[in-house]
Amino acid sequence: MSTLQKTEKANSIKSGKKPKSQRRVQAMLSSKQQYPGQSNQAYKVQARGDTDWRLFDTCRIEISVGAEYHEGAKFKSSVQWAVGRFDRVVFHVVDTLQRHNISFENKLSIGQAYKEARLKGDQWLNRNMEAIKLVFNKPEIYRWDDWKQHSDFAENRKKLMTLYRTNAKFMKAINDKMNGFWERKSQLIPNIYSEDRREQFEKNTLDYCLEELTGAACFYKDVNGITAYPGSFESVWDLLASQEMNGLPESFQNAQWTRLKFNRNNNYRLKVII
């Protein structure tokens, strides 16, 4: 191996990207030639976004516990898609972060809500372990508490709180996210999301939003690659990826995402019926 090739390989390990020599070969091949078909999946998966996922050898699958697209056949299809396209697949189970929402909606103490959120994470892992084990090597699984204990967590939280207080664009992106959440929830469960509880909601949800970004910064530092996610991305994530703000945790340089879209595979359904 030449010095240049060694350097490219070392850099690829740090960045989660494939070496440039591999990328050149990759550019010469069509996706049909390079990647396995999806006839054995209940859903065909398409990746969409501005970032080319083919430049990465590590796929981060971040799990919103309770979300329909992270259960059953859709989740399994996501894993099958990732296994056929990446050398490394890492699962991130976002469970105990949900204690903020659980506490508010169920009028529980934060300690009680933590236990419920942790249990929901345990149950999700039990339900979906068969799909997780499709990863060839031993699956890498992180849970939210891993980042709460991370050495950079406190400093990242401090930086993000400072940004929220001093950067109008960042504050607006966070507030827009909170307002959008309130509007959706107040229509679904108006007796819980009532105006007399709005102030408590805003405090809870600000804590949620800043902790979500704090933990993400720790995760992106330790696991470089690209996140494959079926849900939508709020404007705050686009803002982070743009690198327009000074004062962000440096690991947001690794904040790369691709959005997954599911299409029902009719041929797969027919095979199951037959």
Side-chain angles (χ1 to χ4, degrees), residues 67-86:
E68 175 265 342
Y69 45 69
H70 281 144
E71 298 285 352
K74 285 186 177 179
F75 175 66
K76 183 177 180 180
S77 295
S78 298
V79 177
Q80 289 172 307
W81 175 85
V83 166
R85 287 155 181 79
F86 296 90

Side-chain angles (χ1 to χ4, degrees), residues 195-224:
E195 283 300 326
D196 61 305
R197 303 190 74 209
R198 183 69 182 257
E199 184 176 349
Q200 182 186 350
F201 163 83
E202 289 178 353
K203 180 183 182 303
N204 269 42
T205 310
L206 179 59
D207 287 343
Y208 173 99
C209 290
L210 293 179
E211 183 178 321
E212 178 184 35
L213 299 180
T214 300
C218 297
F219 178 47
Y220 297 155
K221 178 181 179 180
D222 286 9
V223 183
N224 296 331

Side-chain angles (χ1 to χ4, degrees), residues 23-30 33:
R23 295 206 298 271
R24 283 196 295 270
V25 172
Q26 183 181 68
M28 297 169 63
L29 300 173
S30 71
Q33 291 173 311

